[in-house]
Amino acid sequence: MVAVVGNPNAGKSALFNALTGARQKVGNYPGVTVERHSGRLWLPDGRPVELVDLPGAYSLDPSSPDEAVTRDVVTGAQAGEALPDALIVVIDAANLDNHLRFTLQLIALGLPVVVALNMVDLATRDGLEIDPAILARALGVPVIPTIAVRKRGIDDLKEAVGRIVAGENIRVIAPGHGDPVDAFDMMLHQRRAREIAALAIVAEKPARQWTRRVDAVVLNPVAGPLILAALLFVMFQAVFSWSAAPVALIEGLQGWLSEGASALLPEGVVRSFFVDGVINGVGSVVVFLPQILILFLFILILEATGYMTRAAFLMDRLMARVGLSGSSFIPLLSSFACAIPGIMATRTIDDPKDRLTTILIAPLMTCSARLPVYAIIIAAFIPNDSVGPGIGLQGLVLFGLYVAGIAGALLAALVLRRTVAKGAAGSFMMEMPKYQLPTLRDIAIGLWIRAWIFLKRAGTIIFFTTIILWALLSFPQKPAEVPGTQSEYSVAGTISEGLHVIVAPIGFSQDIALALIPAMAAREVAVSALATTYAIDQSDEALVEQSLGERLQSRWSLPTALAFLAWFVFAPQCLSTIAVTRRETNGWRWPMFMLGYLFALAYLAAGATYWTATALGL
Amino acid sequence: MRLHELPMNRPATIAAIAWGDLRETDARRLRELGFDEGVSVEKLHQAPLGRDPLAVRVGRMTVAIRRAHAAAVSVEVAA
């Protein structure tokens, strides 16, 4: 196994993509939730080597949990991962003094090393001329100039990796002039890094500085916040407007499948299983794939260009008001797509109390799994009126739900930072990388990984919970002479009767209580659960044609629908989030706390909404 | 003069860093981001609210840092 290591923003992942192509696997490090990207690298002589992309780190002395994984892998201390056979150390050519320090530390560990002198084009753009031969002599290891995003130097790099993996000793001289060097002595490596950088940079002329010009606009005290607000507005707008066509396509496919299945299968339990359970249950969730991908597309582009750290810079002061820092902004923004990558992204936060608070409030960001729930209820109960030029009432309600989540999160952070996560004010220190044009290929790979994770979730958790629910709802079969509906008579009906006692005060019917149980696995299951419940109860042929929205309209009051929306702003109904929180906080204490405080908030919010709406006579 | 008091876009050199005034984790991160005696610095941007945090060029890198931490860095303006 060969590991790709380097400072953050050195271009490791682009290099990894260029070396392995699409044959990538995503997993986790055992015991921790840092994503483990691995892939196969074909050496020039035709042999395959496993390549692993390690999280970026500044040194072997980790200050955040993801840097600890990097240190543990390169020192052979990571459980479930063998000591690498060789390291590809990626350094940013325009940032030699800094990146060479970590390189020297890694070389001092004694593993075979090849240095990829990456982004040489950007260094040239900055007016830097670097001699790779001088660098190789000073470091004592091969140095290959590369431009990962344009796949330059990749073949040379593969050849060099092939040679060191074959055991060929190509160290020019021993590092550190023959003295044994302590890999962990940072000051020593720091000074040597600057000496070597000064030697290797053979010419430096003033150049156009694109990044500084862009920053002058993007970080301008007036224009900067306006640009950020506009970007976020366009992002959320796009999630809805761009997704209309692909969503219609998926719905068409789902309709075609269920019609086909209905025609092929005889009426009865088997048809009900495939049409009500499998096709409609899973379909009602898969239909949200386009929106999730659009949201991730924006987040991936913002990250790849380097804008994300500018957003963190602009947001730091506001976040400081509730006891957090700009570093929390990036995980929280990702949580709008899904809290799981959001919570995983908190690993880059140095301060443990900041990190804990960010994890605990991440589920309050309106994730894409809530969209199916919000969309169906809003479409059914909120009239499609216009309240101003280009502003619809439905859109306004949706916006209100997002705002309610954000306000809840900020308030929760404020309280948590003064109670359970009390501590000194956090800090905010972050490298602001040079701007780069994102490459289509890297964005496409990122999107493909997200789509695959979502579909796998739809295919497993959502598929099985839907099927179990279908079974619990369908059996025992209600005899015709017994009054009431099939769902009330079923096993699920009996279970939900108990829960109904608790949720009745906040306006929830027994059908809703029933839907909340499987929706513990994932929020979007609430929609498929309601669809399955009402589909099973639908005996009248004339009513079969009714959409889920129409069925909800005829059964729910407006206060109930509004309370249901308020519930989902806060309710922590997602097993994966709970699981990821347990792993990230090393125990059950914090996920249990999260469940408790979020359910309490959800109950209060839904109750307040229901009682207010009823009092207003809605 | 200390880093947060440095006028915008005025190149300077780090004269001393009061490592003891910083929490250990902050001191380490500052060092990792390239802050060291003798390195050139320049204040490039200030965030809109309360002019905090700052964007500072350190060597060849741009770094975001809060005023409170910048106050631990003493600088000398190049003559």
Side-chain angles (χ1 to χ4, degrees), chain A residues 574-597:
Chain A
C574 176
L575 277 187
S576 319
T577 302
I578 303 299
V580 109
T581 306
R582 191 193 70 77
R583 277 199 294 190
E584 290 296 326
T585 58
N586 298 317
W588 279 110
R589 186 167 162 225
W590 293 112
M592 285 299 137
F593 176 83
M594 182 195 267
L595 275 176
Y597 102 88

Side-chain angles (χ1 to χ4, degrees), chain A residues 58-59 61-64 67 94-95 97-99 101 128 186-187 190-191 194 197 201 204 212 215-216 219-221 225 313-314 316-318 320-321 324-326 348 350-351 424-434, chain B residues 8-11 19 22-40 42-70:
Chain A
Y58 286 100
S59 70
D61 190 8
S63 43
S64 62
E67 289 181 75
N95 211 340
D97 348 16
N98 232 292
H99 289 198
R101 182 194 51 230
L128 291 176
M186 190 144 104
M187 288 317 277
Q190 171 100 324
R191 299 270 146 84
R194 284 215 296 273
I201 296 172
E204 181 168 13
R212 286 182 71 163
D215 273 345
L219 297 182
N220 178 288
F313 177 82
L314 292 170
D316 178 61
R317 187 62 186 226
L318 271 183
R321 294 252 169 94
L324 294 173
S325 80
T348 56
D350 300 345
D351 187 279
S427 54
F428 178 63
M429 287 180 205
M430 196 179 256
E431 179 182 346
M432 300 171 89
K434 293 192 169 60
Chain B
M8 299 274 277
N9 303 311
R10 175 88 55 89
W19 297 111
L22 297 163
R23 279 189 298 174
E24 198 198 322
T25 48
D26 293 337
R28 186 196 310 151
R29 183 58 96 201
L30 214 54
R31 207 169 272 169
E32 286 175 349
L33 291 173
F35 282 86
D36 198 5
E37 282 153 31
V39 176
S40 78
E42 185 180 350
K43 199 157 99 183
L44 299 178
H45 306 280
Q46 306 182 122
L49 294 167
R51 297 180 296 142
D52 192 15
L54 311 170
V56 179
R57 178 182 62 74
V58 186
R60 289 192 181 80
M61 198 155 110
T62 306
V63 169
I65 178 177
R66 284 188 179 166
R67 297 183 84 85
H69 298 117

Side-chain angles (χ1 to χ4, degrees), chain A residues 395-410:
Chain A
L396 204 63
V397 169
L398 186 71
F399 181 69
L401 292 169
Y402 272 93
V403 171
I406 296 168
L410 294 180

Side-chain angles (χ1 to χ4, degrees), chain A residues 240 288 291-292 335-339 361-378 398 401-402 405-406 454 457 522-527 564-574 577 598 602:
Chain A
F240 292 95
F288 292 93
Q291 297 187 334
I292 290 169
S335 299
F336 280 109
C338 175
I361 65 169
L364 285 169
M365 299 293 122
T366 301
C367 68
S368 45
R370 285 174 174 94
L371 284 178
V373 182
Y374 290 172
I376 194 95
I377 304 288
I378 288 177
L398 186 71
L401 292 169
Y402 272 93
I406 296 168
F454 177 79
R457 217 158 89 93
R523 294 176 181 90
E524 60 269 41
V525 174
V527 174
F564 191 70
L565 288 176
W567 172 270
F568 272 99
V569 170
F570 297 98
Q573 308 223 151
C574 176
T577 302
L598 287 176

Side-chain angles (χ1 to χ4, degrees), chain A residues 597-618:
Chain A
Y597 102 88
L598 287 176
F599 269 129
L601 279 181
Y603 195 86
L604 288 176
T609 308
Y610 180 71
W611 303 319
T612 313
T614 309
L616 290 173
L618 293 173

